[in-house]
Amino acid sequence: MKEEQKILLIVLDGLGDRPNDALSGQTPLEAARTPVLNHLAEKGALGLVDVINVGIRPGSDTGHLSLLGLDPNTYYYGRGPLEALGANITLNPGDVAFRANFASLDGKGRIIDRRAGRIDSCNQFIKAIEKIKLPCKYVFKATNEHRGVLVLRGKELSPNVSSNDTKNTGVKPAEIRPLDDSPASASTAKIAESFVSQAKKILESHPENKKRKKNKLLPANYLLLRGAGGYTPLPNFKERYGMTAAAVAGGNLYQGIARAVGMDIIAVRGATGKSDTNLLAKVLTVKNALLTHDFVFLHIKGTDEFGHDGDANGKKAFIERVDAAFAELANLDNTIIALTGDHSTPCALKNHSGDAVPLLINGRGVRVDGTQKFGERDAAKGGIGRIRGLDLMPELLNLAGRAKMYGT
Amino acid sequence: MKEEQKILLIVLDGLGDRPNDALSGQTPLEAARTPVLNHLAEKGALGLVDVINVGIRPGSDTGHLSLLGLDPNTYYYGRGPLEALGANITLNPGDVAFRANFASLDGKGRIIDRRAGRIDSCNQFIKAIEKIKLPCKYVFKATNEHRGVLVLRGKELSPNVSSNDTKNTGVKPAEIRPLDDSPASASTAKIAESFVSQAKKILESHPENKKRKKNKLLPANYLLLRGAGGYTPLPNFKERYGMTAAAVAGGNLYQGIARAVGMDIIAVRGATGKSDTNLLAKVLTVKNALLTHDFVFLHIKGTDEFGHDGDANGKKAFIERVDAAFAELANLDNTIIALTGDHSTPCALKNHSGDAVPLLINGRGVRVDGTQKFGERDAAKGGIGRIRGLDLMPELLNLAGRAKMYGT
C-alpha cells in the first residue's frame, strides 16, 4: 500500500456557465486566461459533474452536501440550521432555525427592498431585537450584510412552516403559516409571526434607521424569515472518511456546512465570502492547513456573485484573479487537488442552473488525459467522463489511497 | 429569470443501430445524408442515452415511459392498458386490458401467421365479436391492421395471467393460465380463454374470412391475447412538469402512452404509425402544436419497422426522408429540440437491442460541442456524454429554464 495523499477540494461557487454572447460564445471559464488551471489540467484529468443529478438545479446548500458525499435527499434539513451553524450557534435537536433578511418596508407595509439597500452589517440592531419576548427561548444573530439567523428553542417546535418572504417587492410580506396540521407547526408559525411583528416595531423606531432615512438610505425595518429547518446532526467527516478536515471559507453558509460535518473552520483575515475577498490570503491559509489536516475544503464565492449579476466579463476576470492566486497551489506534494463548482450559475440566466459543472483532478496517480486547458467543453471530453456529485468523494479517496476495499 | 423555452421531443422509434455490412460498416443513421440533422448537431450537442439502463433492451412502451421521465420499474403496468388508452377506451382501476392480434389458424389448430397475413384492418369483425358472452363486462376494439384491444371489466379480475401467444408459427396456441394462486387470476384466465374460444368459432364462420380464403388470403380466424395489465393512472404530465403537452403520433401505443399522462393527442391526416406515414404533415402539425403547447412529443415509427425487417438501406433512406421533412424544424425560436430513439433496433438483429441510442439537443443555452454530424459514434464523443433515459426530462427542463431549484 502506497503512502496516503492529502486531499484539497476547491469549490468555485457557481463556476459552470453557458456559451455567452459577450464572450463570443465562450463561457467565462473558457474565455479566461488561466495558465495555472491549464497547467493543473495538463498534468491532471477533467470531467463533468452532475452535482445532484443530470439536469437538477442545485442550491448552494444541497450542492455542497452532495460534493462532500452526503446525499441531500437524506441529509438536507433546510438552509436555516446550516446558516445558524455558520454563525457559530450551537444547535440542539428540536431547535428550529431560520435564515433572516433585514428588509425595507414602505409606509404602506410593502417590501421595497428585500436586502435593506444591501446594508453593510446589522449588528447595531441586535441589542434592541434581543428585547423581543417569545413563549420559547431564542437566539438571534446578524451574519454578513443584511443577513441574520433566528433559532427558536423549546418543546413542541416544528420546522414545517412557511416563509413571510414572497421574493417580490412592491407587495406586502406573506403571513407565516403552519404547513401541516400539527399543534407544533401551528405554534411555531405563531411564534415566528410574533417575532416578526415585535421586530418591526423595534426596528421602525430604531435610531439607526432614523439616521439611515436622514442619509437617504433604505431602512432595515423588517425581517424576512425563510429556510426553516430542524436540526439533526450530520455524519462526522472524520468518522466517515478517516481524515482530519479543515475549511477555508468566507461565506456563512459554507462555514456552517463545514461545521455541520465537524471540520475545523480556519478564519482568514480578508475572506469576505464575496468577490472582494483576499484570495491570496485564503490560498496561503490552505497551504498551511494542508500541513495539519488530511483534507482541506476551500470555498470561493465570487464566481457565483458575477453569475447572479449576469456579468460574464466580471466572472471571467475574477476567474483570472483566482488563477493567479492558485500559482501557490501548482506544485503541492502528495496532494490530490480537485477543483469544481457546486452548481452552474450561467451569466445569461443570473441564477443557478442544472448544467453539469467542470471538474479538474490533479495529483499523483491521476490518469493524465491529455487535456490542455480547463473549460466546460474541454471537461466534456476529459478522461473522467460525467459523474455525479456523490461520486466525487469516493473518487478522491481512491486517488488519495484512502479507499477501503469492498470485498476481498 | 429568463424567459422559459418550449420543448420538442422527437422520438425516432428504434433509431439506434449497429455497424452494418450492407452500409460498409456504418449504421443507417451514420450512412444517411442528413443535412438538416447535421445542422442541428452543429448548433447543438450530442450524447448517448441508455434508455432504461446500460445494456437493458427496452420495449417501445418501457422505453417511452423512461424518456418521458417515468421510471418503468414504478409505472409500467403492461402494454395492454397503454394500447387500450391509445384506442380511446377509458380505463378504470380494476380493469384488465390485453393487446389482441388477429392471427391465422390452420385446419389442425396450428398458428400459421401471427398477423393474419398483415390484414389491413379488422373492423369488419367487431360486430360479430361483440356477440361474445362473458361473466363480466368487456370492450373489444380493432386498432391498426391485425391489432386490437380487449378490456375486461368487473370485480375480482387480475392481470396476472399468461398469454396464448407462443410467438411461434406451426404450433398450437398456448392455454391462458393464471400466474399466481389467487382466485382473481384463475377467474381472469378462464374468462380470457372463454373469449378466445368463442371468438374462434365466430371468426371461423365469418363471411369476411370465407371471402379471404376464396381470394387466397390468410383468414383472421383466431385471437392472440398478450400484454395483460391492470390500470393505475400515471402521473399527469402537466402536474409533474408544469407544461401543457401535445403528442403527434400515428401508432396506437404511442397515442396511448401520451393519453396515459394526459397529453393532448393531435390527429394528423396521413399519419399511419408506419413507414408510409405523411412525415411533412406530422412536422407541420408539430409546428402548430408548439404555438399552443409548452411541450410537444413527436413520434415516428418507420425507423423501427425497417430495423425489424433487417433492411439497413431502407432504414437509411427513411432517415433521409425524415431529415428532409425536418427542414421545417431547423429554425424554431425559443425551443429546445431533443431528438433520440426509444431503443436501438439494429437491422442485423431484426429486434430491439440494449445499445445506447444517439441523442441530439439543440436550442438556446446548449453548450455547443463542435459536433459536425449526427450518428451513433459522433454521439459517443458528444458534449452531453452518456446519460440515462430518466435523465432526459430533467436535462430538457433545465435547458428550457423550467427546472425548480433543489435547496437554496
Side-chain angles (χ1 to χ4, degrees), chain A residues 122-133:
Chain A
C122 290
N123 267 320
Q124 65 270 36
F125 301 113
I126 295 302
K127 262 205 181 146
I129 284 180
E130 282 174 347
K131 296 197 176 127
I132 289 172
K133 302 275 179 225

Side-chain angles (χ1 to χ4, degrees), chain A residues 322-340:
Chain A
V322 169
D323 186 81
F326 281 7
E328 290 286 337
L329 303 176
N331 295 297
L332 292 176
D333 271 347
N334 210 41
T335 306
I336 296 293
I337 302 180
L339 196 155
T340 189

Side-chain angles (χ1 to χ4, degrees), chain A residues 60-373:
Chain A
S60 287
D61 40 20
T62 53
H64 274 85
L65 288 175
S66 201
L67 292 177
L68 293 173
L70 299 174
D71 188 342
N73 289 308
T74 307
Y75 294 112
Y76 181 55
Y77 43 71
R79 177 125 171 195
L82 297 172
E83 292 277 359
L85 289 168
N88 229 338
I89 299 172
T90 303
L91 292 177
N92 304 316
D95 290 355
V96 171
F98 299 79
R99 304 168 67 181
N101 269 18
F102 285 83
S104 308
L105 220 56
D106 69 10
K108 291 179 176 164
R110 294 172 306 201
I111 298 286
I112 44 177
D113 188 338
R114 292 175 56 251
R115 298 182 182 89
R118 286 239 178 228
I119 186 168
D120 278 344
S121 160
C122 290
N123 267 320
Q124 65 270 36
F125 301 113
I126 295 302
K127 262 205 181 146
I129 284 180
E130 282 174 347
K131 296 197 176 127
I132 289 172
K133 302 275 179 225
L134 295 182
C136 68
K137 290 186 184 169
Y138 70 91
V139 184
F140 186 86
K141 276 204 181 182
T143 57
N144 309 339
E145 301 167 270
H146 58 282
R147 300 184 192 91
V149 177
L150 170 66
V151 177
L152 301 179
R153 179 163 296 155
K155 282 176 193 162
E156 290 261 10
L157 295 172
S158 153
N160 211 8
V161 298
S162 68
S163 170
N164 58 344
D165 185 1
T166 65
K167 300 236 174 175
N168 291 314
T169 53
V171 296
K172 290 189 177 176
E175 193 191 335
I176 299 174
R177 293 172 198 273
L179 295 174
D180 62 35
D181 291 338
S182 73
S185 297
S187 133
T188 307
K190 216 169 139 186
I191 292 169
E193 272 289 317
S194 165
F195 187 87
V196 167
S197 74
Q198 292 182 60
K200 185 181 160 195
K201 266 184 217 150
I202 289 168
L203 291 169
E204 192 55 53
S205 60
H206 197 284
E208 287 288 335
N209 273 327
K210 289 184 178 157
K211 216 189 290 174
R212 283 181 68 82
K213 282 187 183 172
K214 217 162 94 183
N215 294 333
K216 306 251 159 120
L217 293 170
L218 288 172
N221 59 359
Y222 194 71
L223 283 174
L224 295 170
L225 301 182
R226 55 200 179 107
Y231 176 68
T232 316
L234 292 182
N236 180 276
F237 200 85
K238 179 150 198 307
E239 283 170 23
R240 195 176 175 93
Y241 300 121
M243 295 188 285
T244 55
V248 177
N252 191 66
L253 171 65
Y254 312 96
Q255 292 186 9
I257 292 169
R259 188 165 283 126
V261 299
M263 290 186 190
D264 295 331
I265 315 292
I266 306 190
V268 181
R269 188 184 294 261
T272 60
K274 299 196 291 175
S275 61
D276 64 359
T277 197
N278 188 339
L279 288 168
L280 192 60
K282 287 175 87 169
V283 167
L284 294 174
T285 305
V286 162
K287 279 186 91 167
N288 268 328
L290 281 168
L291 301 176
T292 48
H293 293 78
D294 302 319
F295 180 97
V296 177
F297 159 52
L298 167 60
H299 180 265
I300 292 174
K301 183 70 177 173
T303 29
D304 185 52
E305 293 212 330
F306 287 106
H308 280 285
D309 291 343
D311 182 355
N313 276 298
K315 192 168 174 181
K316 165 178 172 276
F318 183 76
I319 291 169
E320 291 176 348
R321 282 182 53 214
V322 169
D323 186 81
F326 281 7
E328 290 286 337
L329 303 176
N331 295 297
L332 292 176
D333 271 347
N334 210 41
T335 306
I336 296 293
I337 302 180
L339 196 155
T340 189
D342 56 340
H343 52 76
S344 292
T345 306
C347 295
L349 298 185
K350 299 186 181 185
N351 209 334
H352 299 192
S353 78
D355 300 87
V357 295
L359 166 67
L360 185 166
I361 303 183
N362 173 291
R364 191 177 73 232
V366 173
R367 290 179 185 157
V368 175
D369 65 358
T371 317
Q372 299 299 311
K373 65 185 295 294

Side-chain angles (χ1 to χ4, degrees), chain B residues 165-220:
Chain B
D165 185 0
T166 65
K167 300 239 175 171
N168 290 315
T169 53
V171 296
K172 291 188 178 178
E175 193 190 337
I176 299 174
R177 292 173 200 273
L179 296 174
D180 62 34
D181 291 339
S182 74
S185 297
S187 133
T188 307
K190 215 169 139 188
I191 293 170
E193 272 288 318
S194 163
F195 187 87
V196 167
S197 74
Q198 292 181 60
K200 185 180 163 196
K201 266 184 216 151
I202 288 169
L203 291 169
E204 192 56 51
S205 60
H206 197 284
E208 286 291 333
N209 272 327
K210 288 184 176 159
K211 218 189 285 175
R212 283 180 69 82
K213 281 186 182 172
K214 218 161 92 184
N215 293 333
K216 308 253 160 115
L217 293 170
L218 287 172

Side-chain angles (χ1 to χ4, degrees), chain A residues 57 59-60 62 354 356 377 386, chain B residues 367-368 384 394-395 398 403 406 408:
Chain A
R57 281 176 69 203
S60 287
T62 53
R377 283 165 289 186
R386 189 165 178 167
Chain B
R367 288 178 183 162
V368 176
I384 301 169
E395 181 86 343
N398 169 54
Y406 176 47
T408 56

